Amino acid sequence: MIIKVLIPVFVFFVVNKTIGQSNFPIKTSAPTSSANEDFLAFDSIFENKKVVCIGESTHGTHEFFTMRHRLFKYLVENHQFNTFFLEADYGTCLRVNRYIHGDTDSIDLVLKSIKLWPWITKEMEDMIEWMRIYNSQNDNRLSFLGCDTQMFVEATNEIDRLILKSNPALLDTNIKLSVPNYYKSRISEDSLLAREIIAHKKEIIPELKLSEKDLSIYNNLIKNLEQIVVTKESKKYYTRDVMMGTNILDHLNKHKDDKIFYWAHNGHIHNNFSTHKKNDKDTLSISAGSFLKRQLKNECLIILQDFSQGSFNSLVLENPDSSILNKRYVMRENTVKYFKEKFLIGNSIDYHSSDIHMVESSYFEDRKRAYIHSIGALFTPNTKRRYAYNFKEESCDWVILHKNTTPTEL
């Protein structure tokens, strides 16, 4: 009789211990949750980490936003994280950073200053407002920064703001202070003009007499401009990722006590560093996350996010048959399906205990075929494009899987 009781108990213990080491149910993604027992189950993975990279398989999924908000809040309150880095430009995040440090401003305008549609959401607004309140109660501990290299005009506008603040006479109205369509065009004249603008902005630094804080911001903006030009001129698609990783690492080297939470698409943070042959040439493939992982090793943690089923926001080409000159994108709620959904990692776990699971990458090591969604700002439904890539154990440290997802509130 004793044997009949002990064996099931023993089996239950062994099975749950095995699952518990690599697969943790999370009760909610809501950042308003005050109970963190579910996070405490895997709390040890955040010990001795300097950077936590957390991604998303689409830019327009509500649950990815709220889960990151909840996790960032937890890391701030329990692991002394203090710096939030977004997949957006340094220049476009400055207004947000001023707002969370107490500047009087309109939250709508603050959000719009980020420029990129995926971040102009109610979910992002909620997190920014939380950071502002937290800072008001905790000596402005938190910072909101960008690391991307895309928005030239916005960076020049922030530089001009500092010039006007220090010495308006140095604002040269004879030089063209914006580069039309610089974000989209690849015209070589734009780069020449951009370099001329950068040279002018650098020449006047000695005459500005900026405070130490403003001088640091000014130099970071110059660096942002130079990186935008280099990224634009480069024929290597991974240059942007290397720049993002470099910016985060540079910040960490200057502020050694900071702990960074990096928010970007899965494609920018998954641990992908490889070389392969293409047209008889060695081609390097690297993400910002893998760049940081190689530099920081165990001090960097990579967490991807994916879903089993659900919908998301994205820009969709209104008329796929239109000419290049007449292409027009519209925002829509979308879903995506595959013929071989059984290979998606989001469909490979048992959601019986919870609709959200935190799963260690080694959990999937025995799967010969595993895929994770990969959907960016643009999406073309009803095509044969897979919108997924191979998931490997080394792709990340952990992945958060959501059974059902919904679109962001734009």
Side-chain angles (χ1 to χ4, degrees):
M1 191 69 184
I2 294 175
I3 294 175
K4 289 182 180 180
V5 173
L6 287 179
I7 289 177
V9 171
F10 175 75
V11 172
F12 175 82
F13 173 77
V14 172
V15 170
N16 277 274
K17 183 181 178 185
T18 303
I19 293 174
Q21 289 176 337
S22 58
N23 183 352
F24 299 93
I26 297 177
K27 62 182 178 182
T28 179
S29 68
T32 53
S33 175
S34 57
N36 287 316
E37 289 83 1
D38 49 351
F39 280 2
L40 292 174
F42 52 84
D43 180 79
S44 61
I45 70 170
F46 302 118
E47 293 177 0
N48 303 315
K49 296 296 183 289
K50 298 292 288 183
V51 178
V52 170
C53 309
I54 181 162
E56 58 188 4
S57 58
T58 89
H59 274 315
T61 297
H62 167 80
E63 287 75 14
F64 295 162
F65 272 76
T66 54
M67 177 54 70
R68 280 186 291 203
H69 182 174
R70 186 181 173 212
L71 184 56
F72 178 58
K73 181 172 178 282
Y74 178 79
L75 291 176
V76 168
E77 295 174 344
N78 295 275
H79 288 273
Q80 293 75 54
F81 275 68
N82 62 345
T83 307
F84 180 92
F85 263 100
L86 182 64
E87 181 197 333
D89 278 44
Y90 178 80
T92 63
C93 289
L94 282 174
R95 189 168 180 175
V96 182
N97 197 48
R98 292 193 292 269
Y99 181 76
I100 68 167
H101 284 86
D103 268 20
T104 301
D105 206 336
S106 160
I107 184 60
D108 288 341
L109 296 178
V110 166
L111 269 178
K112 289 177 182 177
S113 70
I114 305 176
K115 293 297 180 181
L116 301 171
W117 75 259
W119 318 135
I120 307 175
T121 67
K122 180 63 169 61
E123 294 86 352
M124 182 67 82
E125 176 186 314
D126 290 343
M127 196 190 72
I128 290 171
E129 293 287 22
W130 174 82
M131 292 177 74
R132 179 179 170 93
I133 293 170
Y134 182 91
N135 270 349
S136 69
Q137 299 170 350
N138 294 275
D139 196 28
N140 282 324
R141 283 191 60 242
L142 305 182
S143 296
F144 188 110
L145 303 175
C147 59
D148 210 343
T149 57
Q150 300 190 78
M151 302 291 179
F152 190 94
V153 173
E154 286 70 23
T156 60
N157 289 341
E158 284 290 338
I159 287 179
D160 290 348
R161 180 180 178 276
L162 292 172
I163 294 173
L164 288 168
K165 177 181 174 181
S166 174
N167 190 344
L170 293 174
L171 192 63
D172 192 342
T173 55
N174 295 319
I175 190 170
K176 190 175 182 182
L177 294 175
S178 65
V179 182
N181 299 318
Y182 195 82
Y183 173 60
K184 296 180 180 179
S185 72
R186 295 185 179 274
I187 303 172
S188 59
E189 288 79 359
D190 278 359
S191 291
L192 294 173
L193 178 57
R195 292 186 182 279
E196 181 183 349
I197 292 171
I198 294 169
H200 167 71
K201 304 295 186 188
K202 293 171 76 171
E203 283 174 7
I204 63 174
I205 291 177
E207 303 175 63
L208 287 173
K209 295 182 173 54
L210 296 166
S211 67
E212 184 178 350
K213 177 182 176 182
D214 283 347
L215 179 60
S216 176
I217 294 172
Y218 195 102
N219 285 329
N220 283 337
L221 286 164
I222 292 292
K223 177 185 174 185
N224 191 193
L225 291 177
E226 291 174 333
Q227 288 180 337
I228 291 170
V229 175
V230 170
T231 301
K232 191 169 177 54
E233 291 177 340
S234 175
K235 295 181 180 180
K236 300 171 182 177
Y237 69 91
Y238 60 83
T239 301
R240 178 182 162 211
D241 274 86
V242 172
M243 293 294 184
M244 286 195 284
T246 298
N247 289 334
I248 292 172
L249 195 63
D250 285 352
H251 177 91
L252 202 55
N253 288 333
K254 292 178 183 176
H255 307 274
K256 297 187 183 299
D257 293 331
D258 280 8
K259 291 188 175 183
I260 293 169
F261 188 89
Y262 175 36
W263 172 324
H265 192 276
N266 283 348
H268 292 302
I269 70 162
H270 73 295
N271 191 21
N272 173 36
F273 191 105
S274 62
T275 56
H276 56 275
K277 289 286 186 179
K278 185 177 182 180
N279 300 326
D280 297 322
K281 295 180 181 179
D282 284 325
T283 303
L284 179 67
S285 179
I286 182 172
S287 68
S290 60
F291 177 87
L292 291 167
K293 194 75 168 176
R294 286 172 66 88
Q295 299 295 322
L296 299 172
K297 298 181 172 57
N298 290 334
E299 290 184 314
C300 176
L301 185 73
I302 295 178
I303 304 172
L304 305 182
Q305 288 195 96
D306 199 22
F307 62 96
S308 176
Q309 59 188 9
S311 53
F312 54 91
N313 283 320
S314 67
L315 287 175
V316 175
L317 189 61
E318 189 175 45
N319 180 7
D321 298 324
S322 62
S323 67
I324 294 177
L325 293 176
N326 294 320
K327 287 188 182 298
R328 182 173 180 269
Y329 289 89
V330 293
M331 184 65 64
R332 285 183 186 161
E333 179 181 331
N334 295 282
T335 58
V336 61
K337 290 183 178 293
Y338 302 99
F339 293 109
K340 299 179 180 179
E341 290 182 317
K342 65 180 180 179
F343 295 125
L344 289 168
I345 60 171
N347 294 337
S348 64
I349 67 168
D350 181 7
Y351 289 100
H352 178 71
S353 58
S354 174
D355 282 352
I356 311 170
H357 281 249
M358 178 86 164
V359 186
E360 194 170 8
S361 60
S362 60
Y363 184 89
F364 305 100
E365 63 184 350
D366 296 330
R367 291 174 60 87
K368 293 181 179 179
R369 297 181 67 180
Y371 293 96
I372 187 169
H373 289 98
S374 183
I375 299 160
L378 306 179
F379 178 70
T380 307
N382 304 318
T383 67
K384 294 182 179 180
R385 183 176 172 183
R386 193 165 63 188
Y387 283 105
Y389 62 86
N390 292 330
F391 179 88
K392 300 178 181 178
E393 182 183 349
E394 61 270 22
S395 296
C396 62
D397 298 298
W398 294 79
V399 57
I400 299 175
L401 298 174
H402 301 257
K403 182 178 181 181
N404 297 293
T405 58
T406 55
T408 50
E409 186 177 343
L410 297 171

